Amino acid sequence: MRNGMKLLLSVTVLLSFTTTRTGAVEDHDIPRELMQGREKRQLSEQTLIVTTIMQSPFIMAKPTGGLEGFCIDLLQLFAERFKFRYEIKLVKDGFYGSKLENGRWTGMLGELMSEEADIAIAPLTITREREKAFGFTRPFMSVGISILMRKDFNSQGANLFHFLSPFSVDTWLGLFIAYVLTCFCLFLAARLSPNEWSEPEVENSRFSLLDSFWFGVGALTLQGVGPHPRAVSTRVIGTIWWLFVIIFLVAYITFFAASLSSEPQRPLIKSFNDLAKQREIEYGTVYGGSTFAFFKHSKIPAYAKIYETMNSRSDSVLVRTMAEGVQRVLGSNYALIGESSTIDLAVAEHCNLMRVSDFAAVRGYGIATRLGDPLRDNLTLAIMELEESGSLQQLKAKYWKSSCSDENAAEWSPLKLNQIGGTFLFLAIGLSLGLIIACIELAIKSRKKADQDKSCCNIFTEELNLRFKERSEANKKTNA
Ligand code: ASP
């Protein structure tokens, strides 16, 4: 009897070895019809007991009753392909499956081991420890371990100089240079234009350099301070400056609003190292899953520290399901460590959540069968087929849709000089025009004053001297 058992065992092991090792070769060598014949012999008309776990969007309860989700669609595709029937049972203890000290397995894997189920279809991570005890198919999805956080917990507090963020440094510099140049041009035009400064012999110009700068600031703050320009030349410069300022103010307000609502540019927690170092934010993961086991077995100091922290407060920081974890992140000062598939879905559904870009490990989800079960190879082949035909991609696209608007998703950046360069050109043209008009105004006056003794050019030069060089003498005259 004992010998018989041994023989049976060795035949099973041999069979499983052959199936496992030669699977890839068989795919190429055996004609498809034969393969299908073999599959049908093994699977058709069988009723498979499928164990699974509630995990959005893989397995979810339908509002009308029953189950739906990525894994349910996958199972249906397999059932159609291999013509088997199935019965889905939710895992009794609610765990994915981990090995206990006594060698027994919990969760879905425990149910496979005790033959309560034939396969486990769920977001079940393939790990070395599990692979040794169960037959896993080729991964149907790759995922990385990351951190889910609330965006507002991950911003760098109040930044005193955030008000400068709407414009890049060169835009601010350009604005400053534009301001200085405009005020200087206004000062020049006010000196040149006889309509602005009609009697340089007896009075001071209304626009001293300081007044010009004051006028420029007034426009920047929409206050319209005096003295107000009177000549066409100074009015052209004033108007162009006002228009330029309005464009800049609108851009500033728009970009400032966008910068406030955008994702923080420099997050506080950028990696698992940052998470391990801090104490303000509590963190945890799903109990009895591969993520918890990953940190438990890790030799990397930061990961080992994360495990210690989670383990020492296991009652308060470990959650039973990812859905429970997501609710905790939304409602408290908590960060959830989990797999990117679930984290990305939570980020897509809740726009105030974010995934930290660091990944602790990249793994895959596979379908688990009992060790040596030929079902594994058939399912692996089917997964490869679905992958190659693009059906897996389509299925992913069906369940991972973002409800956040594109504006939020788009990365915000400050306004650059080249985006608003046209306004500077517009200002430069206006300033040149103002100065040209001021010269024309002076030329007209010179022409009017010209007589037989003095030519128009002489008077123009004299006026220029009077307006720029001999101001102190003119003042003296006035004072006298
Ligand atoms: N997918 C995981 C597992 O198979 C769950 C987790 O720990 O995040 O255990």
Side-chain angles (χ1 to χ4, degrees):
M1 180 70 180
R2 192 172 273 185
N3 284 346
M5 281 292 285
K6 267 189 190 164
L7 189 68
L8 194 68
L9 201 70
S10 43
V11 168
T12 320
V13 170
L14 194 68
L15 263 180
S16 78
F17 180 74
T18 325
T19 336
T20 322
R21 298 298 299 272
T22 56
V25 181
E26 279 175 350
D27 303 350
H28 297 290
D29 298 349
I30 298 179
R32 194 179 155 82
E33 306 80 61
L34 270 182
M35 286 286 295
Q36 280 177 347
R38 188 189 73 170
E39 285 153 6
K40 272 181 195 151
R41 266 201 314 277
Q42 289 167 349
L43 286 171
S44 63
E45 310 313 324
Q46 276 189 40
T47 301
L48 296 180
I49 308 292
V50 181
T51 176
T52 193
I53 191 166
M54 289 302 245
Q55 165 84 69
S56 179
F58 295 94
I59 302 101
M60 304 174 285
K62 262 199 227 165
T64 50
L67 295 171
E68 63 177 352
F70 180 90
C71 286
I72 306 296
D73 286 3
L74 200 60
L75 178 62
Q76 187 55 36
L77 286 174
F78 292 150
E80 278 162 21
R81 164 91 168 72
F82 297 113
K83 312 255 176 313
F84 64 77
R85 285 188 295 268
Y86 58 85
E87 197 184 311
I88 303 176
K89 287 185 173 166
L90 287 177
V91 60
K92 283 191 215 120
D93 62 9
F95 294 131
Y96 283 86
S98 55
K99 197 175 178 182
L100 299 175
E101 307 274 290
N102 60 13
R104 293 172 73 96
W105 286 83
T106 62
M108 289 179 280
L109 297 175
E111 292 187 359
L112 273 187
M113 203 53 119
S114 61
E115 302 197 2
E116 283 171 69
D118 299 308
I119 50 172
I121 295 194
L124 194 60
T125 312
I126 307 170
T127 65
R128 192 174 57 89
E129 195 180 38
R130 287 174 177 175
E131 182 85 70
K132 280 196 282 181
F134 299 90
F136 273 93
T137 61
R138 179 194 165 87
F140 59 83
M141 189 180 281
S142 298
V143 287
I145 299 179
S146 192
I147 308 164
L148 178 72
M149 304 199 63
R150 257 182 34 204
K151 279 182 187 169
D152 51 352
F153 284 149
N154 210 7
S155 61
Q156 255 186 351
N159 175 5
L160 286 182
F161 297 101
H162 190 72
F163 71 93
L164 292 176
S165 65
F167 295 158
S168 64
V169 177
D170 49 359
T171 311
W172 281 118
L173 203 70
L175 185 62
F176 178 72
I177 294 172
Y179 165 68
V180 173
L181 270 181
T182 308
C183 297
F184 192 65
C185 287
L186 185 68
F187 165 74
L188 281 186
R191 293 238 139 184
L192 282 172
S193 169
N195 301 339
E196 192 61 57
W197 190 18
S198 51
E199 294 187 51
E201 300 89 354
V202 291
E203 63 177 16
N204 280 330
S205 166
R206 287 171 63 244
F207 275 97
S208 68
L209 205 52
L210 206 66
D211 289 329
S212 305
F213 279 102
W214 182 234
F215 177 84
V217 170
L220 272 176
T221 53
L222 297 180
Q223 294 309 308
V225 294
H228 293 290
R230 280 191 303 220
V232 175
S233 52
T234 44
R235 282 184 178 175
V236 165
I237 294 177
T239 312
I240 291 292
W241 177 241
W242 287 338
L243 290 176
F244 177 85
V245 163
I246 286 176
I247 295 170
F248 257 84
L249 284 179
V250 169
Y252 180 85
I253 293 166
T254 313
F255 274 69
F256 192 49
S259 78
L260 289 177
S261 61
S262 78
E263 198 174 311
Q265 296 296 297
R266 289 168 296 153
L268 262 185
I269 292 173
K270 286 178 278 179
S271 62
F272 282 93
N273 266 328
D274 294 342
L275 190 70
K277 271 188 238 149
Q278 59 82 48
R279 284 167 165 270
E280 296 86 59
I281 300 172
E282 279 197 315
Y283 52 85
T285 186
V286 174
Y287 180 71
S290 64
T291 307
F292 188 62
F294 168 81
F295 285 96
K296 184 175 178 180
H297 299 131
S298 180
K299 301 266 180 301
I300 298 172
Y303 299 168
K305 186 159 182 225
I306 288 177
Y307 170 72
E308 267 169 40
T309 314
M310 289 196 297
N311 198 37
S312 64
R313 293 188 237 155
S314 58
D315 287 347
S316 62
V317 297
L318 296 181
V319 287
R320 265 195 94 79
T321 62
M322 283 298 278
E324 185 191 327
V326 172
Q327 285 312 316
R328 226 172 133 177
V329 175
L330 284 168
S332 64
N333 192 9
Y334 181 78
L336 179 68
I337 300 176
E339 287 164 330
S340 52
S341 53
T342 329
I343 290 186
D344 287 347
L345 185 78
V347 169
E349 282 173 354
H350 307 280
C351 304
N352 59 336
L353 298 186
M354 60 171 287
R355 170 163 66 76
V356 171
S357 53
D358 191 25
F359 282 118
V362 177
R363 290 116 47 100
Y365 289 153
I367 296 164
T369 61
R370 273 185 293 281
L371 204 59
D373 192 332
L375 207 60
R376 183 192 89 145
D377 286 346
N378 291 326
L379 294 178
T380 289
L381 276 179
I383 288 174
M384 287 169 84
E385 255 179 40
L386 291 175
E387 219 167 50
E388 282 163 19
S389 66
S391 309
L392 264 187
Q393 274 308 110
Q394 281 173 352
L395 216 53
K396 275 181 206 163
K398 179 176 165 189
Y399 288 101
W400 276 266
K401 272 195 223 123
S402 175
S403 61
C404 300
S405 70
D406 284 350
E407 289 155 48
N408 280 346
E411 186 122 311
W412 177 88
S413 68
L415 184 68
K416 309 234 170 52
L417 193 59
N418 56 3
Q419 290 172 283
I420 205 159
T423 25
F424 285 92
L425 189 70
F426 174 68
L427 181 70
I429 294 172
L431 296 185
S432 317
L433 198 68
L435 287 178
I436 293 169
I437 297 174
C439 289
I440 295 172
E441 283 171 334
L442 190 62
I444 293 172
K445 185 188 175 190
S446 311
R447 204 160 161 233
K448 271 190 201 153
K449 275 173 85 180
D451 51 24
Q452 281 165 343
D453 299 337
K454 280 183 185 167
S455 71
C456 173
C457 271
N458 283 346
I459 296 176
F460 190 85
T461 322
E462 268 175 27
E463 281 279 344
L464 279 184
N465 284 341
L466 184 68
R467 283 163 188 272
F468 288 105
K469 287 190 187 154
E470 295 174 20
R471 190 168 157 255
S472 49
E473 260 180 47
N475 283 350
K476 271 181 221 159
K477 266 191 221 165
T478 322
N479 294 343

